Amino acid sequence: MDERKLYKSPFSTVLWSVAFPGFEQLYNGDYFIGLLIMLWIAAINFGSNLNLSA
């Protein structure tokens, strides 16, 4: 069988990681860790009231 590895740009990986924490892992195929990081970041944001405007 001919299994080819899909090339993933390191630059693109860094951009995903900077824009959305956890998306780097999703982009690389590590779904469990990616979702875990995304939930952790959401919990920190909601718990610290970081996004309140007043």
Side-chain angles (χ1 to χ4, degrees):
M1 291 193 177
D2 184 24
E3 291 187 26
R4 297 180 185 184
K5 295 263 184 179
L6 182 62
Y7 175 74
K8 297 188 178 183
S9 168
F11 182 69
S12 177
T13 304
V14 169
L15 288 179
W16 274 112
S17 180
V18 168
F20 305 105
F23 271 54
E24 175 186 1
Q25 282 75 22
L26 294 176
Y27 180 69
N28 287 326
D30 196 0
Y31 301 111
F32 178 73
I33 298 296
L35 290 175
L36 191 65
I37 291 172
M38 290 171 61
L39 290 174
W40 181 52
I41 293 297
I44 289 172
N45 283 339
F46 290 129
S48 67
N49 295 325
L50 184 65
N51 296 327
L52 292 179
S53 63

